[in-house]
Amino acid sequence: RIDGERLWGSLMEMAKIGATPKGGNCRLALTDLDREGRDLFVRWCREAGCSITVDRMGNIFARRPGRDDSLPPVMIGSHLDTQPTGGRFDGVYGVLAGLEVVRSLNDTGYEVEAPIEVAVWTNEEGSRFAPAMVASGVFAGVFDLDYGLSRKDVDGKTMGEELQRIGYAGEAEVGGRPIRAFFEAHIEQGPILEAEDKVIGVVTHAQGQRWYEITLTGQEAHAGPTPMPRRKDALVGAARVVEAVNRIGLAHAPFACATVGMLQVHPNSRNVIPGRVFLTVDFRHPDDDVLSAMDAELRAAAAEAAERGGLELALEQIWYSPPIAFDADCVAAVRRAAGANGYSHRDIVSGAGHDACYISRVAPTGMVFVPCENGISHNEIENAKPEDLAAGCQVLLEAVLERANA
Amino acid sequence: RIDGERLWGSLMEMAKIGATPKGGNCRLALTDLDREGRDLFVRWCREAGCSITVDRMGNIFARRPGRDDSLPPVMIGSHLDTQPTGGRFDGVYGVLAGLEVVRSLNDTGYEVEAPIEVAVWTNEEGSRFAPAMVASGVFAGVFDLDYGLSRKDVDGKTMGEELQRIGYAGEAEVGGRPIRAFFEAHIEQGPILEAEDKVIGVVTHAQGQRWYEITLTGQEAHAGPTPMPRRKDALVGAARVVEAVNRIGLAHAPFACATVGMLQVHPNSRNVIPGRVFLTVDFRHPDDDVLSAMDAELRAAAAEAAERGGLELALEQIWYSPPIAFDADCVAAVRRAAGANGYSHRDIVSGAGHDACYISRVAPTGMVFVPCENGISHNEIENAKPEDLAAGCQVLLEAVLERANA
Ligand SMILES: NC(=O)NCCC(=O)O
Ligand SMILES: NC(=O)NCCC(=O)O
């Protein structure tokens, strides 16, 4: 059995790195704090007898040898990067639950048939560098390496440069090797498990996502002497796009999600009519056809807002991640482990994207969800119960062993 | 007569300081570039035989002695600071036209009865530090000195600190001394003179302004697994406020102006539902009653947007500058000078705020407008014709002499 207290202790230790005033974490991808988090993880893994490999995207693999070390590994993993005002569990839990699995096996000297690897995927959040899950995407062959290394933050720094800077530009090729199975444990980040009082979510699917970048260009002019009818106010146009995005989300209830998370105004001066606005759109739906319909609605609404405001429109879909069905055997292994322990559980569709979504393209993959308080995530107040996190880790251990010994 | 070529040359020389790629200027108040601009002005004034005084708000006064130097001065002035993507004429023209008046008088050794002072007012734009015209406001007793020195930029730096840093925290008391008359020349910043093919705008009034700061607070949450009905999306609420502001402006056509110039999203991450949005509102109208009606409409619309979105609302009017009528004698002097020179002219209401608005509370004040291309200002492409600028300066000279010799 896993040690829930040790797992909680490790989570709280990691949460000190980039701790924020309201009890959350800010450990943006490839910052100095991300490096500190990685260093701590690597130290813990070495202490647990693992060997470390870092690939060219900065993905870290900590390996516990198998009885037959020539077998493909069973891999457990998630990410250590967070949102700017993120929580202590999103991603970190999946990584440290993997470490706890290794530590638990070590406690009893349990020899597993296949090697076990704990993976840390670079820049899962997609906050500092878009899109999300970019490094697991390169690993899975969805993006090529150049694309991955050339992603830029708002200051124009690339992932490649920042990997070099923090010392995590490894030498290993990215991907291209067999994995027996991949498992990721994660907080649900939504309200369903808590509402139904279930401890374990058996993740069967993940919804599809489309991300967009939109720029509306009008004309800067003085807010005082410029008559309303002469204006080309990019922010008024952008406001209509924000409202349209929200309307599109509501129109495809109950499953659609539609969000403008980022919006930047130029020149952003109180008495200047905004000449340019940049904004991002995040669309999600479990059904690809609905996601396509939402795409068409967005394009129409943005074109109308631009036309109405006399604005130039540039709209680009920068990311598409289709809906995913996880591997039947891995899903069944998670369900069995939950049942065997008497944990209340239900099948669930992931609302968030996860590294597991991309790894599912190159390996049989399953996910374990545990509840989080009020379904809140991507927020400093994100919270989860030690006993639920321990239960999820126990399920992870058993699902991993089932696949590793199969 | 003034020397239009010399005036143009000085404008182009000053425009090199903080020149922007698209032919405009970025010389934000109390930055190093603002210091460079001030230094150049001070050097030119000394070369023209003026003595320099700097007051505690960083306002600069360059004095040409009068025949009777005990008389209160006739003052000419405007500002050297610009918007982040501002033009070469807004403010600078009024300052350098004042210098050109002094230089022209020097050319012929003309002795004026009263002293003449050319004033540079600190932070007129209100872009780096809100509100606008803050230092002429302190001079006129509208704000107290502590208020002026404690204005903060977005990084939390105060005007007082920044005045010290750039060496323009002078020793003179701010205001409290008699001024015979004050004149400000400025580009119109609106489309009227150009549309009617007039060279001189005789400014009779300036419209009133109200500035607001609004913060909407919702709850950050994950853009993927958070169902639409559970959201408290501060940006959706803010978008409704932006649209309402625009609607209020249109509803009070043709004179109302209503603008959201600045909007900041927190945490501004693509896959996080915005938890907090800060935005500013700029309302203008020549009729104070209409301005009050707009105020009420804004408060209602913002409250409704907050209520509808489950958001907390903080709305503060941070600035109110009532409509102004300029001094009848000064206005008449401008009108006479335009007519005497055969310049086409019309009476006009200023859409922008100007230092002259505050100085009008403590001295008889008048303003001279000249056309600008397409009425565009607060934009790098702001442009004006050398011959119109020269005409405005000639009118300024004659109006100043009429009041100085009166
Ligand atoms: N799990 C998680 O928060 N992933 C970030 C990528 C996304 O936006 O779904
Ligand atoms: N003239 C000018 O641009 N003033 C800035 C203050 C305002 O917004 O009116």
Side-chain angles (χ1 to χ4, degrees), chain A residues 14-263:
Chain A
M14 183 63 80
K16 291 180 185 162
I17 302 172
T20 58
K22 293 183 194 154
N25 269 217
C26 176
R27 215 163 43 235
L28 292 172
L30 308 187
T31 55
D32 289 347
L33 291 168
D34 186 14
R35 173 186 21 207
E36 273 188 61
R38 288 163 174 261
D39 288 352
L40 179 60
F41 170 76
V42 166
R43 177 160 70 73
W44 280 340
C45 289
R46 289 222 162 96
E47 287 167 5
C50 295
S51 61
I52 301 290
T53 302
V54 180
D55 73 17
R56 296 179 63 191
M57 283 303 295
N59 299 317
I60 308 172
F61 304 94
R63 182 178 176 100
R64 180 181 197 264
R67 183 161 25 217
D68 178 353
D69 208 43
S70 69
L71 287 174
V74 172
M75 199 181 273
I76 314 170
S78 193
H79 59 97
L80 291 175
D81 69 315
T82 76
Q83 291 288 330
T85 49
R88 297 168 297 169
F89 305 100
D90 173 3
V92 190
Y93 169 56
V95 170
L96 297 184
L99 174 61
E100 177 53 35
V101 164
V102 168
R103 285 171 167 171
S104 303
L105 295 171
N106 290 350
D107 287 344
T108 55
Y110 191 113
E111 277 195 31
V112 187
E113 195 57 28
I116 289 180
E117 292 190 4
V118 184
V120 174
W121 304 104
T122 298
N123 187 52
E124 190 270 351
E125 291 290 356
S127 180
R128 179 170 178 203
F129 304 97
M133 298 129 61
V134 67
S136 51
V138 175
F139 187 93
V142 177
F143 307 122
D144 62 30
L145 182 63
D146 283 349
Y147 176 87
L149 294 175
S150 63
R151 294 307 86 209
K152 284 194 179 120
D153 70 7
V154 286
D155 300 326
K157 290 186 189 140
T158 65
M159 287 191 62
E161 286 158 18
E162 287 294 277
L163 279 168
Q164 292 286 349
R165 192 184 65 78
I166 69 162
Y168 275 90
E171 312 228 302
E173 285 312 304
V174 187
R177 62 199 177 95
I179 299 172
R180 200 174 170 87
F182 180 79
F183 288 97
E184 181 168 0
H186 210 283
I187 57 167
E188 179 198 343
Q189 311 186 280
I192 299 170
L193 294 177
E194 187 183 63
E196 300 190 3
D197 206 14
K198 298 282 196 287
V199 172
I200 299 294
V202 179
V203 188
T204 58
H205 298 79
Q207 57 185 354
Q209 315 192 36
R210 289 177 186 265
W211 280 17
Y212 303 83
E213 292 184 353
I214 295 180
T215 302
L216 289 160
T217 307
Q219 185 170 49
E220 286 163 33
H222 197 304
T226 309
M228 300 300 288
R230 282 178 82 96
R231 297 178 172 213
K232 294 178 182 170
D233 186 328
L235 183 55
V236 171
R240 290 177 183 140
V241 174
V242 171
E243 285 220 61
V245 165
N246 191 56
R247 231 174 11 247
I248 292 167
L250 289 166
H252 296 281
F255 295 123
C257 281
T259 311
V260 176
M262 183 179 212
L263 187 146

Side-chain angles (χ1 to χ4, degrees), chain B residues 182 202-208 285-288 321-332 335 348-350 352 354 356-367:
Chain B
F182 180 78
V202 179
V203 187
T204 57
H205 298 79
Q207 56 185 354
H285 202 280
D287 177 339
D288 211 27
S321 171
I324 301 285
F326 289 112
D327 176 72
D329 291 339
C330 291
V331 170
R335 197 182 291 116
I348 193 166
V349 175
S350 176
H354 294 287
C357 297
Y358 278 147
I359 305 307
S360 75
R361 300 190 174 212
V362 291
T365 295
M367 286 194 78

Side-chain angles (χ1 to χ4, degrees), chain B residues 87-144:
Chain B
R88 297 167 299 169
F89 305 99
D90 172 2
V92 190
Y93 169 56
V95 171
L96 298 184
L99 174 61
E100 178 52 35
V101 165
V102 169
R103 285 170 168 171
S104 303
L105 295 171
N106 289 351
D107 287 344
T108 56
Y110 191 114
E111 277 196 33
V112 187
E113 194 57 29
I116 290 181
E117 291 191 4
V118 183
V120 174
W121 304 105
T122 298
N123 188 51
E124 189 271 351
E125 291 291 356
S127 180
R128 181 172 177 201
F129 303 97
M133 299 130 59
V134 66
S136 52
V138 175
F139 188 94
V142 177
F143 307 122
D144 63 31

Side-chain angles (χ1 to χ4, degrees), chain B residues 187-329:
Chain B
I187 56 167
E188 179 198 342
Q189 311 187 279
I192 298 170
L193 294 177
E194 187 184 62
E196 300 190 4
D197 207 14
K198 298 282 198 287
V199 172
I200 299 293
V202 179
V203 187
T204 57
H205 298 79
Q207 56 185 354
Q209 314 191 37
R210 289 178 186 265
W211 280 17
Y212 303 85
E213 292 184 352
I214 295 180
T215 301
L216 289 160
T217 307
Q219 185 170 49
E220 288 166 32
H222 196 304
T226 310
M228 300 300 289
R230 281 178 84 96
R231 296 177 173 214
K232 294 178 182 170
D233 186 328
L235 183 55
V236 170
R240 290 179 182 138
V241 174
V242 171
E243 285 219 61
V245 165
N246 190 56
R247 233 176 8 249
I248 292 167
L250 289 166
H252 297 280
F255 294 124
C257 281
T259 310
V260 176
M262 186 180 212
L263 187 145
Q264 288 173 315
V265 179
H266 301 268
N268 216 29
S269 182
R270 293 163 195 253
N271 44 1
V272 183
I273 298 163
R276 183 160 41 88
V277 174
F278 170 86
L279 62 95
T280 63
V281 176
D282 174 319
F283 274 169
R284 320 238 177 165
H285 202 280
D287 177 339
D288 211 27
D289 290 341
V290 179
L291 206 54
S292 299
M294 291 167 71
D295 175 271
E297 287 163 30
L298 174 65
R299 289 174 193 275
E304 195 204 306
E307 163 92 32
R308 185 169 162 200
L311 307 170
E312 258 175 61
L313 169 68
L315 183 155
E316 196 190 347
Q317 178 184 296
I318 61 145
W319 188 40
Y320 166 56
S321 171
I324 301 285
F326 289 112
D327 176 72
D329 291 339

